Each structure stands twice: as C-alpha cells, then as structure tokens.
Amino acid sequence: MSFLTLQGISKRYGDFTAIEQLDLSVERGEFLSLLGPSGCGKTTTLQMIAGFVAPSTGRVTLDGRDITQLRPEKRGIGVVFQSYALFPHMTVAANVGFGLEMRKMPRAQRAERIAEALALVRLSGLDARYPKELSGGQRQRVAIARAIAMQPELLLLDEPMSNLDAKLREEMHIELRAIQKRLGITTILVTHDQVEAMTMSDRIAVMHRGTIAQLSTPFDAYERPATPFASTFLGRTNSLAGEVLRRNPRCAEVAVASTTLHVPHEGREVAGSVHVYIRPEKMRLANGDAGDARVHGRIATRVFVGNQWLLVVDTELGRLHVAQSNTGAPPPEEGHEVGLAWTDDDLRVLTRESAHGHA
Ligand SMILES: Nc1ncnc2c1ncn2[C@@H]1O[C@H](COP(=O)(O)OP(=O)(O)O)[C@@H](O)[C@H]1O
Ligand SMILES: [Mg+2]
C-alpha cells in the first residue's frame, strides 16, 4: 500500500462540488505537486490531507492507518499554509522551535534542530530577529523552517514560495528539493506555477475543476498531455482545430484548414473533431532552399527575450507561436514571409471537448 492514499474523496460546499471522487496515492519519499489554476481545488485537497477540512465522502490513509477522522495535530503532518502565520512577539528561533518546545525537546537538542532548519532555508544568523524585521520572503522561509524542524513524515506546502521574487524562488526550488531528498520527507506541494511543479516534482497531478486531469512525471505531463486542459495549461502550445479523415495504424490524418497533418495517435481513439497541438519550440524556420517548409506565413510579431526569439506567424493554419533559441543570428524581421518546419512526431492530437464536457 502507498504511504498516503486518498480514496474516493469528495468535498461539497452546499450545492457546489469542490472535489469530485478523487483518488491519489503518494509513495514514501516522493515529491508530488498538485498543479492547477486558482479555484481548481488544490488547497481543499491539501486541507483534507492535513485534517483541517473534513471530506464529504472517501477515506484518507497514512502509512496504512485510516486517518480520515483523526484530528490534525494527531496526524504528524507538517503544513506550510498559503498564509503562514508566525508569532509576531517571538524571535525567528523561537518561532522555528515552538513545536519542538511543545514536544518538550531538551533545549540543546532544540537549538541544534533550529540552527539546522535555518541553515537549510538560508536564514542562519537571523535567529534573534522578530518577524516584523524580516522581508516577506524571509518570513516565508521561517515558516518552511518551522515545518522542517519538526521532521514530519509528510510535509504539505501550499504555495509556499509565492511571496519570493523570481530569482530567490528559483534558488529555493533547487534547495528545497535537495533538502527534501536528503531528509527523505514525503512532500506534497500545491502550486499554480508550472515551472515550480516541474522543477521540484517526481510526479505532477494536474488538477482541473476538482478532479485530477493527469498524473505523471513532469516530462510526460509536458510531452504527452492526456487531456485538452493539460495540453494548454502546462507550457505554451498551439491548438489547431481539425477533423480526423482517417485513422491509420500509427497516425491519424487530420484536416486542418486546407492542409492534411499526419499526427501520431499513440494507440488512443481519436475521431471526429479534434485539436492538433504543437509546441512553439518544436517548430523551426524552414531553410528556403531545402524546401522542408510544411506551411508558409508572415511574421506578425518578433520579440527577443534573451535566450529565445518569440515569433507570431500568420499562416494558412492560423496564427502560430514559434520559439527559436538564440543562436546569435536574428530571425527575419516582422512582415517577412517565412516557411515553418516540424517533425510529425512532435504533433499531438486529442478529441475536442464538448462545450459542456469535463476534461
Ligand atoms: N469554505 C468554503 N466554502 C465554500 N466554497 C469553498 C470553500 N473553500 C473553498 N471553496 C471553493 O472550492 C473551490 C476550490 O477552492 P480551493 O481548494 O481553495 O482552490 P485552489 O487552492 O486550487 O485555488 C473554489 O471554487 C472555492 O471557492
Ligand atoms: Mg489555494
């Protein structure tokens, strides 16, 4: 049995269903992210694991024990909430050591744990400060240190890095992941930030309207989205509406505008109205002479972002976003005609969702 399991978990608020029949298994030592847009039910799910919200249906088990009815403080779970409240009248060290003191850990041992946790979040030396003397990002890290100091078996993090500036956030992703691996703490992270989820996770659960749309490694979530929602939520992609003409053993022939695209279907049933997806970075500007262009168009916008050029090209397939890595030579300017090339293996196809349907 997995370390943590959620079985048939639902949460209703009156007539509104926030979580619908959710199943999830998390292995010991795993780092799993719940990723999805605001309102999809990430916090609610985390709160049900922590015990602060009671599920309307279903069962939660931790290390083989049914904890569905267990009080939060009896679960041995560390939680860092979106709004992490520090005690304002207590120093950083006292805040981090609070839970340990409650547990009656001897002073010397406690001091060691506090120093260790503060070093992990890179706040060594700030032990004697008060929360009001810290930046938002530092306060957020104190909250993380406080949870880590308890060395919980399961750590739940709800958007814990949302207050950090971009550079510090990137560094914290790498460091927090290293800490998590070193301590072997099973961790569930709630985030709407896909880069954060991809950087840190063993697996990502992409959430959509109270259900899990896809549960897979970050690579598979990006390369093989299982639903239209997952396709467009994770990273940028071009979606082309088309109709399946024929399903061959390996690929589907899909009519998009006046062109026929050959898209690998990977054994999935695809028929009727579909979307064909292609990532901006999987397209390249065609060599004029080689004649490998699959479609022609005009550059509508061209933006330089340092490592890449982002182009918008108007083609007979529609408006396509194209990303070219910066090799040192700028691509043609706005207004120029270009050909676009790709490899059919980089195309993806999924049956189009009906207007009312769920992913
Ligand atoms: N106590 C509550 N009462 C009523 N609706 C709630 C309550 N808590 C959350 N919801 C609703 O449940 C949905 C999921 O909320 P939440 O889990 O906080 O989403 P997320 O963390 O993914 O942004 C939202 O539509 C939210 O408005
Ligand atoms: Mg939330």
Side-chain angles (χ1 to χ4, degrees):
M1 194 182 202
S2 300
F3 184 55
L4 173 77
T5 70
L6 278 62
Q7 298 161 32
I9 291 285
S10 301
K11 181 63 192 178
R12 284 185 283 276
Y13 292 108
D15 290 344
F16 177 72
T17 301
I19 299 296
E20 174 86 48
Q21 285 295 324
L22 187 137
D23 295 310
L24 178 67
S25 297
V26 183
E27 303 307 321
R28 192 186 283 277
E30 187 174 18
F31 195 119
L32 182 128
S33 290
L34 302 177
L35 173 69
S38 178
C40 72
K42 306 180 296 294
T43 295
T44 304
T45 303
L46 208 70
Q47 297 272 23
M48 288 193 283
I49 299 169
F52 295 105
V53 167
S56 307
T57 69
R59 211 161 85 93
V60 182
T61 72
L62 182 64
D63 206 6
R65 290 174 303 146
D66 188 327
I67 59 164
T68 317
Q69 308 295 335
L70 202 62
R71 302 230 311 268
E73 65 274 17
K74 302 264 190 222
R75 296 188 181 198
I77 297 176
V79 190
V80 179
F81 290 115
Q82 219 160 349
S83 53
Y84 46 91
L86 301 179
F87 300 112
H89 60 286
M90 284 165 51
T91 62
V92 165
N95 265 286
V96 173
F98 181 76
L100 301 173
E101 196 177 346
M102 289 295 101
R103 246 192 228 168
K104 309 219 171 356
M105 181 182 276
R107 179 179 293 270
Q109 199 185 343
R110 209 162 69 217
E112 208 171 287
R113 280 275 193 97
I114 293 168
E116 210 175 70
L118 286 176
L120 287 175
V121 297
R122 295 198 303 158
L123 287 178
S124 301
L126 299 189
D127 326 36
R129 295 248 189 117
Y130 286 86
K132 66 171 188 298
E133 300 168 323
L134 302 174
S135 71
Q138 288 172 328
R139 265 179 253 158
Q140 213 157 16
R141 283 183 283 155
V142 173
I144 294 172
R146 184 170 61 180
I148 288 173
M150 298 294 285
Q151 298 189 354
E153 282 204 278
L154 177 61
L155 180 61
L156 307 179
L157 304 168
D158 195 342
E159 315 247 7
M161 283 162 288
S162 52
N163 278 352
L164 307 184
D165 65 53
K167 188 136 191 295
L168 184 56
R169 194 158 64 223
E170 248 172 60
E171 290 169 10
M172 284 290 292
H173 290 161
I174 309 284
E175 283 179 26
L176 200 55
R177 172 61 165 156
I179 294 167
Q180 181 271 337
K181 270 192 176 161
R182 185 143 41 86
L183 302 181
I185 306 176
T186 311
T187 304
I188 301 177
L189 169 74
V190 157
T191 182
H192 65 272
D193 177 342
Q194 38 172 306
V195 174
E196 183 164 297
M198 296 229 239
T199 313
M200 301 179 77
S201 314
D202 294 305
R203 285 190 302 162
I204 296 177
V206 180
M207 288 189 69
H208 183 212
R209 294 184 190 150
T211 63
I212 293 177
Q214 177 159 11
L215 179 60
S216 59
T217 63
F219 184 77
D220 280 344
Y222 188 86
E223 285 295 326
R224 304 207 159 12
T227 69
F229 173 78
S231 297
T232 50
F233 184 73
L234 216 67
R236 241 175 187 292
T237 195
N238 294 287
S239 323
L240 310 171
E243 298 292 327
V244 174
L245 299 174
R246 191 183 323 175
R247 190 179 186 278
N248 298 326
R250 286 199 60 249
C251 75
E253 289 177 30
V254 183
V256 177
S258 55
T259 309
T260 301
L261 301 177
H262 294 80
V263 190
H265 52 60
E266 303 175 302
R268 269 196 307 269
E269 282 308 319
V270 284
S273 300
V274 295
H275 272 125
V276 174
Y277 301 94
I278 182 157
R279 300 273 189 196
E281 75 276 14
K282 300 277 171 71
M283 283 188 281
R284 60 184 186 281
L285 297 180
N287 277 321
D289 308 333
D292 62 347
R294 311 297 291 270
V295 70
H296 293 273
R298 200 171 142 277
I299 298 181
T301 58
R302 187 188 79 157
V303 176
F304 180 57
V305 295
N307 61 338
Q308 285 187 319
W309 291 88
L310 303 177
L311 310 174
V312 178
V313 184
D314 285 325
T315 74
E316 63 245 39
L317 293 178
R319 191 151 252 222
L320 296 177
H321 291 262
V322 180
Q324 300 291 286
S325 55
N326 172 20
T327 55
E333 287 172 22
E334 291 174 3
H336 279 71
E337 299 288 328
V338 290
L340 297 176
W342 60 76
T343 306
D344 285 341
D345 277 351
D346 288 332
L347 301 175
R348 299 287 175 265
V349 62
L350 291 169
T351 300
R352 231 182 289 169
E353 277 176 356
S354 65
H356 308 288
H358 278 231

